[in-house]
């Protein structure tokens, strides 16, 4: 069945209409004098293909007619994860193809414009039809995709968009997984199979982010790249604008300050280098609290097509002992987190985004990692604007098997990194690319694999940010961290090993940090450490899963961090920001409970402990920056 689903997607890609253009640039859809944006968010019709083959919907060609004509439909919010919407546990745990459709109208005054249909993300495989004609496919669950639909759209009446989404994870997907089939009909129902996950979080699925229609003129801005540096008190801005649809007749480029003042203006230059005198730099908010997250805007006008690209001026560098932002040492007071909403899976939720940034600042955190997949663009916008540093991570989580390091996986991994960098390359908040989380980097196959993925990432990113992957390997057996610029290490002494024995933490963590340092003369961030804790569960002396144990556990790690943070340790990131959902298993009680906040974003005792530490260190770090 798995091969059939994969083959089905590949055949669908091959059969795509030749006159429908998939776009190379992936600029976020913004209204301007030349562009109009329309949302298709809302309640869509929804139906799962529950046939034993998960293929009957393709046999019956559901895309050729309204979905409600194929059988009973549900109403499903877009964006959302379909898993946590209904009361049907079969749908919550469904693996295979699900289908969405809705009607939409195109304004008649769009007749001379390019009309683009854009999906913020759909997990995992997606095929899109408009009026029964296939217009695009996408392989990968966390990044945007779009295409021009002028050839198939109706300007004088209703249109129908149909989307098929498949959440199956296979050895070559990111993250990887496999399917397990049971054929003993005395013990299992006919056609019984399960999705085997190699990740420790729930495989939420559906159309997770916004769906937009937007327009551009026929000659249009396809892509913008901005790379910044600093010279004395001036900002140096290198920009490149790519256009399409014909030769541009006129080009105007302006840099506008946050206050709306034009500080630079150029004509007829699609690429170049400009200087911002007396530049205001982008700083993390705990480093320069009077002016965090300062953003400029590059205003581009090409033959009347106008796009405004926000950016910040800052530099990032790594020495053998430090992580530098704008030439000054930066210490990450961070959180690992998931994008999950309270009980609604991974669908975009503005209220939750606002709450998360409020709670990160309440904790005193100045950075987070997009564990373990790219987050929504609207989340990244807030990181830029609020001065929160980001380690931007690919969905390469759980790569624990030899078959996850083959040529198909490698090609897909490179494509995903290209898409991620294309989307987030202009963001000042993004200071490090992480290509994977906890891969089996002790396997011989991992050496060449990560050499190639990391080299590809460096080649694609013109800003040359540091590149890493997050490891849980033992330093004597690892073969791939030799290629990273900065070491990111996950450790759970006193939890997964020597459970309940916090007295071993300082000894074991110190030996481990010194071991990594002896092998690689590179700075280190502890990207995960934590203990599962049920909110409100108390026992003294402390016992695992109580709030007392989480506090003692975290405190022992902090003592070790303090020993090394003036040497080569450049960051600490608790795991995790909040509790989050996992698959059903006996070691998890309704999800992972390592959060210092509950899933409803309320602090446990450890949240108060972390807040006291982070605020104290933030104050001392700010004073250090101001004196250097």
């Amino acid at each position: 069945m798995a091969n059939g689903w994969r083959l089905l997607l590949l055949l669908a890609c091959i059969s795509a209409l030749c006159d429908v253009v998939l776009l190379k640039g992936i600029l976020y859809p913004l209204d301007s004098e030349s562009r109009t944006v329309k949302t298709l968010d809302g309640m869509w019709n929804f139906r799962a293909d529950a046939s034993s083959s998960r293929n009957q919907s393709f046999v019956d060609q559901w895309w050729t007619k309204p979905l409600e004509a194929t059988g009973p439909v549900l109403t499903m919010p877009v964006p959302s994860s379909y898993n946590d919407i209904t009361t049907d546990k079969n749908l919550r745990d469904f693996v295979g193809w699900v289908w969405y459709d809705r009607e939409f109208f195109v304004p008649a005054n769009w007749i001379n414009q390019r009309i683009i249909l854009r999906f913020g993300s759909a997990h995992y495989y997606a095929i899109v039809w408009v009026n029964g004609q296939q217009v695009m496919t996408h392989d990968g669950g966390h990044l945007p995709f779009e295409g021009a639909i002028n050839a198939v759209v109706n300007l004088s009446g209703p249109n129908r968009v149909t989307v098929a989404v498949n959440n199956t994870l296979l050895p070559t997907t990111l993250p990887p997984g496999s399917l397990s089939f049971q054929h003993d009909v005395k013990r299992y129902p006919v056609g019984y199979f399960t999705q085997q996950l190699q990740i420790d979080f729930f495989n939420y699925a559906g159309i997770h982010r916004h769906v937009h229609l937007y327009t551009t003129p026929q000659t249009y801005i396809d892509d913008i790249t901005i790379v910044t540096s600093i010279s004395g008190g001036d900002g140096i801005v290198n920009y490149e604008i790519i256009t399409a649809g014909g030769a541009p007749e006129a080009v105007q480029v302006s840099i506008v300050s946050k206050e709306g003042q034009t500080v630079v203006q150029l004509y007829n230059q699609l690429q170049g280098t400009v200087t911002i005198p007396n530049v205001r730099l982008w700083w993390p908010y705990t480093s320069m609290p009077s002016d965090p997250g300062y953003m400029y805007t590059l205003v581009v006008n090409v033959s009347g097509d106008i796009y405004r690209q926000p950016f910040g001026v800052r530099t990032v560098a790594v020495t053998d002992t430090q992580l530098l932002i704008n030439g000054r040492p930066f210490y990450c007071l961070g959180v690992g987190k998931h994008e999950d909403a309270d009980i609604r899976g991974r669908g975009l939720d503005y209220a939750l985004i606002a709450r998360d940034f409020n709670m990160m600042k309440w904790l005193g955190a100045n950075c987070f990692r997009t564990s373990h997949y790219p987050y929504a663009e609207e989340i990244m916008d807030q990181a830029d604007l609020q001065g929160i540093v980001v380690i931007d991570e690919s969905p390469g989580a759980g790569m624990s098997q030899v078959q996850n390091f083959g040529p198909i996986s490698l090609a897909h991994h490179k494509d995903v990194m290209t898409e991620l960098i294309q989307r987030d390359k202009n963001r000042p908040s993004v200071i490090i690319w992480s290509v994977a989380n906890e891969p089996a980097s002790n396997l011989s196959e991992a050496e060449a694999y990560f050499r190639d993925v990391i080299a590809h990432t460096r080649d694609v990113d013109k800003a040359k940010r540091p590149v890493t992957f997050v490891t849980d390997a033992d330093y004597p057996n690892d073969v791939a961290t030799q290629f990273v610029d900065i070491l990111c290490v996950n450790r759970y002494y006193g939890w997964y090993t020597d459970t309940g024995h916090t007295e071993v933490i300082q000894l074991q963590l110190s030996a481990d940090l010194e071991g990594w340092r002896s092998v690689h003369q590179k700075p280190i961030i502890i990207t995960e450490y934590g203990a599962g804790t049920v909110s409100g569960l108390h026992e003294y002396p402390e016992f695992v899963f109580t709030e007392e144990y989480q506090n003692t556990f975290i405190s022992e790690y902090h003592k070790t961090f303090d020993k090394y943070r003036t040497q080569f340790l450049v960051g600490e990131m608790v795991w995790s920001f909040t509790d989050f959902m996992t698959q059903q298993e006996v070691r998890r009680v309704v999800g992972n409970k390592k959060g210092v906040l509950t899933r409803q974003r309320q602090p446990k005792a450890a949240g108060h402990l972390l807040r006291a530490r982070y605020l104290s260190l933030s104050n001392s770090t700010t004073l250090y920056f101001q004196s250097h």
Side-chain angles (χ1 to χ4, degrees):
M1 188 185 300
N3 289 337
W5 285 344
R6 185 67 170 174
L7 178 61
L8 179 60
L9 182 74
L10 295 176
L11 290 174
C13 293
I14 294 170
S15 64
L17 289 176
C18 61
D19 57 351
V20 174
V21 179
L22 291 181
L23 305 183
K24 180 179 179 181
I26 202 72
L27 297 174
Y28 190 81
L30 296 175
D31 271 321
S32 73
E33 296 87 333
S34 61
R35 297 182 174 215
T36 303
V37 181
K38 177 179 178 178
T39 180
L40 295 186
D41 293 354
M43 290 295 191
W44 291 45
N45 293 321
F46 175 91
R47 188 181 179 196
D49 181 352
S51 62
S52 59
S53 67
R54 298 295 196 267
N55 190 47
Q56 193 60 43
S57 52
F58 286 89
V59 173
D60 294 341
Q61 299 185 349
W62 285 6
W63 66 88
T64 62
K65 57 182 78 70
L67 196 57
E68 61 185 359
T70 69
V73 299
L74 302 172
T75 55
M76 188 62 63
V78 171
S80 74
S81 299
Y82 64 75
N83 312 85
D84 284 345
I85 299 299
T86 76
T87 57
D88 182 355
K89 77 179 185 69
N90 292 320
L91 184 56
R92 180 195 66 197
D93 301 329
F94 185 79
V95 179
W97 290 103
V98 298
W99 293 72
Y100 296 77
D101 84 349
R102 64 158 288 169
E103 283 193 348
F104 67 93
F105 291 85
V106 174
N109 61 3
W110 286 14
I111 188 169
N112 294 319
Q113 300 288 297
R114 292 174 64 254
I115 303 171
I116 315 302
L117 176 61
R118 186 188 200 267
F119 291 80
S121 76
H123 185 75
Y124 184 82
Y125 309 106
I127 310 174
V128 183
W129 296 262
V130 172
N131 296 329
Q133 302 295 311
Q134 184 177 308
V135 295
M136 65 183 112
T137 66
H138 190 252
D139 187 352
H142 309 88
L143 291 163
F145 56 100
E146 61 183 21
I149 60 171
N150 295 68
V152 296
V153 77
N154 179 9
L155 291 170
S156 59
N159 295 275
R160 185 180 71 254
V161 56
T162 306
V163 186
V165 180
N166 192 319
N167 65 338
T168 308
L169 300 180
L170 302 174
T172 54
T173 61
L174 287 181
S178 60
L179 294 176
S180 175
F181 297 87
Q182 301 292 340
H183 304 290
D184 184 351
V185 296
K186 294 182 180 180
R187 297 175 62 87
Y188 295 95
V190 174
Y192 181 90
F193 72 95
T194 55
Q195 171 77 76
Q196 302 299 306
L197 299 179
Q198 295 173 215
I199 52 175
D200 188 22
F201 51 94
F202 195 86
N203 187 34
Y204 282 112
I207 301 176
H208 278 154
R209 298 172 190 161
H210 292 308
V211 183
H212 286 122
L213 282 175
Y214 74 94
T215 66
T216 77
Q218 295 297 332
T219 297
Y220 61 97
I221 302 159
D222 186 49
D223 194 26
I224 299 171
T225 301
I226 300 171
V227 178
T228 65
S229 58
I230 304 167
S231 177
D234 297 337
I236 309 302
V237 180
N238 292 280
Y239 71 90
E240 180 181 8
I241 301 160
I242 296 177
T243 65
E249 296 178 358
V251 177
Q252 179 177 312
V253 178
S254 303
I255 294 179
V256 179
S257 71
K258 183 179 179 179
E259 295 74 25
Q261 297 176 334
T262 299
V263 295
V264 176
Q265 193 164 57
L266 299 172
Y267 295 93
N268 299 320
Q269 296 184 37
L270 288 173
Q271 61 181 12
T273 301
V274 299
T275 299
I276 302 177
N278 302 312
V279 68
R280 297 176 71 175
L281 299 178
W282 187 95
W283 288 102
Y285 87 97
T286 54
S287 302
M288 299 289 284
S290 62
D291 196 20
Y294 190 89
M295 300 288 286
Y296 291 89
T297 302
L298 190 78
V299 182
V300 181
N301 186 334
V302 174
S303 302
D305 185 23
I306 301 173
Y307 191 87
R308 294 172 171 85
Q309 176 63 60
F311 71 97
V313 178
R314 64 99 183 92
T315 62
V316 179
V318 173
T319 71
D320 61 348
T321 59
Q322 293 181 326
L323 172 61
L324 304 175
I325 295 180
N326 301 333
R328 294 178 175 176
F330 175 75
Y331 189 80
C332 173
L333 301 170
V335 293
K337 66 191 300 288
H338 275 280
E339 198 183 4
D340 298 7
D342 298 346
I343 57 169
R344 295 181 295 279
R346 201 164 293 139
L348 184 74
D349 185 324
Y350 282 117
L352 187 76
I353 293 171
R355 177 66 176 180
D356 278 2
F357 277 89
N358 273 273
M359 291 308 295
M360 277 191 281
K361 287 192 170 183
W362 178 83
L363 285 171
N366 60 16
C367 64
F368 67 87
R369 174 167 60 115
T370 68
S371 41
H372 303 293
Y373 40 81
Y375 290 179
E377 290 155 287
E378 293 77 9
I379 294 175
M380 304 300 286
D381 287 343
Q382 291 304 305
D384 287 340
L385 292 169
Q386 298 195 40
I388 303 293
V389 165
V390 178
I391 300 175
D392 208 354
E393 189 162 88
S394 88
M399 301 175 65
S400 58
Q401 308 295 326
V402 170
Q403 56 266 39
N404 305 145
F405 296 98
I408 295 175
S409 297
L410 178 60
H412 179 53
H413 206 148
K414 289 180 178 179
D415 287 343
V416 168
M417 292 311 301
T418 299
E419 290 184 28
L420 175 59
I421 294 168
Q422 181 74 4
R423 192 194 75 166
D424 290 345
K425 61 189 174 182
N426 296 325
R427 296 190 176 279
S429 60
V430 175
I431 65 164
I432 299 171
W433 305 113
S434 171
V435 302
N437 176 71
E438 297 187 350
S441 57
N442 61 309
L443 297 176
S444 59
E445 291 83 0
E447 182 172 5
Y449 186 96
F450 281 107
R451 179 197 65 209
D452 290 354
V453 169
I454 290 171
H456 173 80
T457 302
R458 289 195 182 105
D459 287 343
V460 174
D461 181 25
K462 294 183 179 180
K464 304 304 177 187
R465 294 170 178 86
V467 183
T468 192
F469 68 86
V470 175
T471 183
D472 65 345
D474 295 325
Y475 65 86
N477 303 320
D478 174 86
V479 298
T481 50
Q482 60 182 303
F483 304 115
V484 305
D485 297 306
I486 187 168
L487 290 167
C488 291
V489 181
N490 295 347
R491 284 296 179 260
Y492 290 96
Y493 302 121
W495 185 252
Y496 292 121
T497 59
D498 297 299
T499 308
H501 292 279
T502 56
E503 67 270 20
V504 307
I505 291 172
Q506 290 189 57
L507 289 169
Q508 294 184 8
L509 183 58
S510 293
D512 188 61
L513 287 171
E514 290 177 10
W516 280 109
R517 180 65 180 174
S518 69
V519 175
H520 304 290
Q521 297 298 306
K522 300 173 182 178
I524 300 174
I525 301 175
I526 296 294
T527 36
E528 291 184 24
Y529 70 101
T533 305
V534 178
S535 179
L537 186 62
H538 297 280
E539 189 164 330
Y540 199 80
E542 61 267 19
F543 205 81
V544 291
F545 283 105
T546 66
E547 295 201 45
E548 288 78 13
Y549 186 81
Q550 189 180 33
N551 269 10
T552 300
F553 176 99
I554 287 175
S555 295
E556 290 300 302
Y557 276 80
H558 292 171
K559 293 173 185 176
T560 310
F561 297 159
D562 287 340
K563 179 180 177 181
Y564 295 103
R565 64 183 173 85
T566 58
Q567 300 179 41
F568 53 80
L569 186 71
V570 298
E572 55 191 76
M573 307 184 78
V574 72
W575 189 261
S576 63
F577 179 57
T578 68
D579 297 341
F580 58 91
M581 187 54 66
T582 63
Q583 64 178 328
Q584 298 184 71
E585 54 178 332
V586 294
R587 67 174 182 159
R588 305 289 188 213
V589 181
V590 194
N592 190 310
K593 295 295 192 290
K594 289 192 179 72
V596 296
L597 310 179
T598 67
R599 206 171 178 205
Q600 288 70 37
R601 275 57 180 176
Q602 296 300 326
K604 302 176 187 177
H608 293 278
L609 176 70
L610 197 70
R611 168 180 161 84
R613 174 176 176 81
Y614 279 7
L615 292 179
S616 175
L617 289 177
S618 293
N619 290 334
S620 63
T621 301
T622 299
L623 291 173
Y624 176 83
F625 278 173
Q626 290 173 346
S627 65
H628 285 69

